[in-house]
Amino acid sequence: MSNEQFLILSVALIAVAWALTRRRESPILKRLERYIVKIKPGDRSKAGKVNIYTALDSKMERVPIFKTLFNSIERLLVMANIPVKTSEFLIGVLILTVTLLAVQVMAGGGVHYSSPLVVPGTLILSFLSLKFYIQLRIGRIRKQLKLAISMLASNLKAGHSFIQGLRQVTIDLDQPLKGEFELLLNENRLGIPLDVALTNMLRRVPCKELQTMVRGVILQQQTGSNLVFILNTIYQTLQD
């Protein structure tokens, strides 16, 4: 195969990967799909055309093992704040695997003894990259959290409620903690109880420092204790 043919094939594979993984919905709509009640198989005719991702999700949910796997990957994607569905992620990994395998075969002049290693290698690399991004994101949140707790305590001391103080703190924060606080406020605005919204945030960001703050706020909601004192204590503990 000539260099021109190799280049054309590579471009074609990349174009196919882009076309299959591209979605027309905005990232917000993609994330909202996580909370939309799934349509029953008998009602699919009312829902319009079913795409490959919806079909894959439906098939996998019928098998307990695959459903558990999908839920685990879904949890990782939520923690990484990547607005794609599990089926989209897996199809993207599959396309990447096929592309790398094709490039390896063509570059090596045929099937090589290392060709079968491309499949598990791509899977491992994809999930390691996802885990690394999650840890990087949590590390950034951990660095922002100490300042956020201090600002929140100051706002509460000035007479604001927890929601008002958190809204004010969110304005002055940067991503990624800003996005998490905004999502918490939006959930509470939609009628989700504060303790549930805090627990949801903790599931998205499994950070010990954030867990300490969430427990303190929930404790104050249940007992009516001094939240300013609790937050100052947490801040001092993080400072030490």
Side-chain angles (χ1 to χ4, degrees):
M1 179 178 292
S2 63
N3 293 334
E4 292 79 8
Q5 291 175 331
F6 175 78
L7 179 60
I8 293 174
L9 182 58
S10 299
V11 172
L13 289 172
I14 294 174
V16 171
W18 176 84
L20 289 178
T21 56
R22 182 174 180 267
R23 296 290 298 278
R24 294 185 181 274
E25 295 86 359
S26 66
I28 295 177
L29 292 179
K30 293 180 184 179
R31 295 300 299 272
L32 286 176
E33 288 182 0
R34 305 179 189 275
Y35 306 101
I36 297 175
V37 178
K38 293 183 172 57
I39 300 172
K40 297 180 180 179
D43 298 334
R44 291 190 184 278
S45 58
K46 303 177 182 179
K49 186 178 180 180
V50 179
N51 57 35
I52 184 174
Y53 307 107
T54 304
L56 182 59
D57 289 334
S58 178
K59 294 292 184 182
M60 293 299 102
E61 287 180 355
R62 300 176 184 177
V63 183
I65 296 178
F66 290 137
K67 184 176 181 180
T68 302
L69 177 62
F70 261 46
N71 291 337
S72 300
I73 299 175
E74 174 81 6
R75 192 176 301 111
L76 291 176
L77 293 174
V78 170
M79 290 167 57
N81 195 34
I82 299 178
V84 297
K85 299 170 66 175
T86 305
S87 54
E88 294 175 322
F89 175 77
L90 291 178
I91 290 178
V93 172
L94 177 61
I95 294 174
L96 178 62
T97 303
V98 173
T99 303
L100 293 178
L101 185 60
V103 171
Q104 194 271 342
V105 170
M106 289 183 294
V111 179
H112 198 257
Y113 69 91
S114 61
S115 297
L117 299 178
V118 174
V119 177
T122 306
L123 289 173
I124 294 174
L125 182 61
S126 299
F127 283 99
L128 285 180
S129 300
L130 186 59
K131 289 267 191 178
F132 174 78
Y133 181 76
I134 291 173
Q135 294 301 323
L136 184 64
R137 184 170 182 269
I138 292 177
R140 292 174 180 173
I141 291 177
R142 185 178 286 115
K143 291 180 180 179
Q144 296 177 291
L145 191 59
K146 184 170 65 175
L147 176 61
I149 291 176
S150 176
M151 295 169 59
L152 181 58
S154 298
N155 288 331
L156 294 178
K157 191 175 182 180
H160 296 289
S161 66
F162 176 79
I163 295 297
Q164 292 173 340
L166 187 63
R167 187 176 295 112
Q168 184 62 40
V169 170
T170 302
I171 297 175
D172 300 327
L173 285 178
D174 296 325
Q175 298 292 349
L177 187 57
K178 178 184 179 70
E180 291 298 332
F181 282 171
E182 287 178 342
L183 184 55
L184 184 150
L185 292 172
N186 289 336
E187 288 182 348
N188 183 255
R189 189 180 298 114
L190 290 173
I192 298 177
L194 179 59
D195 56 341
V196 176
L198 287 168
T199 304
N200 291 339
M201 181 177 66
L202 191 57
R203 291 173 181 170
R204 296 189 302 268
V205 186
C207 170
K208 291 183 178 180
E209 291 82 356
L210 184 62
Q211 182 181 30
T212 303
M213 189 198 81
V214 168
R215 287 180 175 177
V217 175
I218 293 178
L219 178 64
Q220 189 276 335
Q221 295 288 324
Q222 295 174 347
T223 62
S225 55
N226 190 339
L227 184 56
V228 176
F229 175 77
I230 294 176
L231 292 178
N232 284 332
T233 303
I234 295 174
Y235 173 80
Q236 189 60 45
T237 301
L238 297 180
Q239 185 75 9
D240 294 339

